Amino acid sequence: MRAGVVVAAQPGVEELAVQAEELGLHSFWVNDTPMVHGDPFVALSLCAKATSRIRLGIGVTSPALRSAPATASGLASLNALAPGRIICGVGTGNTARRTLAMRPTTAARLENFTRALQDLCAGRSTEYREGDRVRDIRFLHAGAHVNTADPIEFVVAALLGPKAAAVAGRRGTGLISFGLLDPTAWHALHDTRRHAAQGTPHAPDTHTDSRADSYVVTSLHLLDEDEDPHSDAARDATGHLVLSLLSFAADTAADTPSLAEQLGPEERDAVHRLLDRRGTTATAPDRHTKLYPNYLGRITPQDRDLVLPSLMNTLALVGTRDDLLTRITTLEQAGIDELLIQPVIDPPTEMAVLAKLLT
C-alpha cells in the first residue's frame, strides 16, 4: 500500500513536504478549512516549488466554500508549478461548513462542481450557473498562466452514505474518507461507485484523469515494547481524530441526530462531557466557536479521558508492527490504495515511522 500524509496549511509546511518526499512518501496533502487553518493553495504553492516528485493534494475543498472558476484557477496554477502532481479532493464541506455554523452542501451541487472542475482543468468549456443565469465558461488565457495539459487527479470525499460514492462513480474519480477503517464499509463504497459508473455512458471521455484510487485518512501509533495500547502517548497521537468526531457529534446532535444515535452509551456520555467542558450546548447558536478551535490539533492532557479506546480503535491504527501490518493488509484487500496519516505530535518522526512501515 502507498503512504502519504495530511497536515494543516501553515507557514513552514513546505519543509514537511520536502521531508515527506525524501522519505519516499507518495503524496502530501493539506486541509481546506478556511476559518481554522491557512489557505491550501498558498501552502501547496510553497510545497510545489520546494519538491520535485511527491504528489500534492487538497483534502478537501467544496462548492460550499469556493466557486468552480476560482477553484479551477487555483488548481491549474498549482499544476503549472508541479505538472501532473496535483490531486484535488472535493466534498460537501461537512466540517469546514460546520466551523462556520452552516450546513454542508448537497450531493447534486457537489457533482456539478466536480464536473466543472474536471472540464475547466482539462481546458474544456463548462456550464456555469449563478441563480437563473447560465453561461458556458473556459480559461481565456492558458499557456504560461495555468496548466490544463497535464492531468489533475480528483477524488470525492465519502463516509458511509452512498450519495458521494455514486458521484465518484459517475464522474470517474477516486474516493477519500476520514477515519473509515472498516473494510466492509469500503467494500460497500466501492460497490456503489462501480454501479454508478456502469450506468454512466461514455464516462471516461469526460474526466480529467482516469485514476480512481481510494485514500483513507487516519493516525498511526506504533507501540513501544510492553506499551499499553491506550497509553497517554497513544491517546495523544490519536486524540485529534477522536475529538473531531465527538465535536461533530456534539455540533449535529440537535439538527442531525443520526450520528449521535449510532454511538454507544459511553461515547454519548463523552459527547455530553465535551459540551460541558467547552461551556456550550447542542443547541447554542454559537457552539461552533466553542467546539472547533484547535480542530485536528494536538489535544490537551485534560481531554485525554475523552479519547475512548472504542473510538481510538475505530478511527486510528494503534498497535505493534505486526498488528499494524495486519490491519493495513486488510484495508488494502478492501480496495484502499493509499494510507494517509494526519500527524500532530511530531510530524517528521511520525512520517518516518509510516515510511519505514510501508515504503
Side-chain angles (χ1 to χ4, degrees), residues 46-340:
L46 296 171
C47 295
K49 297 293 287 183
T51 61
S52 61
R53 177 199 58 80
I54 198 166
R55 294 176 70 84
L56 305 172
I58 292 177
V60 301
T61 194
S62 169
L65 300 174
R66 305 177 186 275
S67 71
T71 306
S73 179
L75 291 171
S77 297
L78 286 174
N79 205 24
L81 296 175
R85 292 198 283 139
I86 305 304
I87 313 170
C88 178
V90 290
T92 57
N94 210 342
T95 304
R97 290 283 290 170
R98 296 287 180 181
T99 62
L100 306 176
M102 299 295 172
R103 298 281 186 91
T105 191
T106 64
R109 190 177 174 200
L110 170 63
E111 185 163 0
N112 290 335
F113 180 68
T114 305
R115 178 187 293 108
L117 292 183
Q118 289 176 310
D119 285 340
L120 293 171
C121 289
R124 299 185 293 265
S125 64
T126 196
E127 184 181 272
Y128 177 64
R129 178 187 298 272
E130 287 188 7
D132 295 331
R133 192 177 182 87
V134 183
R135 293 291 184 271
D136 282 341
I137 63 170
R138 66 181 304 155
F139 281 113
L140 300 180
H141 189 182
H145 295 264
V146 295
N147 177 3
T148 59
D150 292 288
I152 291 175
E153 179 183 356
F154 287 92
V155 293
V156 171
L159 191 52
L160 295 176
K163 292 183 178 179
V167 170
R170 288 191 293 269
R171 298 311 310 155
T173 76
L175 291 169
I176 185 170
S177 193
F178 183 87
L180 184 62
L181 301 180
D182 179 1
T184 301
W186 272 105
H187 283 300
L189 288 177
H190 288 142
D191 285 344
T192 299
R193 179 176 62 179
R194 183 166 51 253
H195 292 154
Q198 291 171 349
T200 306
H202 310 300
D205 295 339
T206 67
H207 303 143
T208 308
D209 192 336
S210 60
R211 298 172 68 102
D213 287 349
S214 293
Y215 301 80
V216 63
V217 181
T218 185
S219 60
L220 184 76
H221 181 68
L222 178 63
L223 293 174
D224 291 332
E225 186 176 356
D226 298 325
E227 181 185 352
D228 180 352
H230 307 126
S231 64
D232 285 352
R235 290 173 190 260
D236 288 346
T238 62
H240 55 300
L241 296 188
V242 174
L243 265 292
S244 71
L245 175 65
L246 293 178
S247 296
F248 179 68
D251 183 26
T252 61
D255 57 1
T256 311
S258 57
L259 175 59
E261 291 171 353
Q262 293 175 30
L263 300 176
E266 188 180 14
E267 291 80 10
R268 289 197 296 271
D269 178 67
V271 170
H272 294 311
R273 285 189 286 132
L274 175 65
L275 285 166
D276 291 341
R277 198 166 294 179
R278 299 296 186 263
T280 189
T281 68
T283 57
D286 65 345
R287 62 186 181 274
H288 63 289
T289 65
K290 307 291 180 61
L291 289 171
Y292 292 109
N294 194 40
Y295 176 72
L296 290 178
R298 183 171 183 167
I299 67 168
T300 64
Q302 293 78 14
D303 283 336
R304 283 179 183 146
D305 63 304
L306 298 174
V307 185
L308 303 178
S310 60
L311 295 179
M312 291 173 64
N313 296 336
T314 297
L315 300 172
L317 296 172
V318 177
T320 65
R321 184 178 186 277
D322 288 343
D323 293 335
L324 295 176
L325 288 175
T326 297
R327 289 192 71 182
I328 290 169
T329 298
T330 302
L331 290 171
E332 190 170 23
Q333 292 170 346
I336 306 300
D337 299 288
E338 187 160 343
L339 182 72
L340 305 174

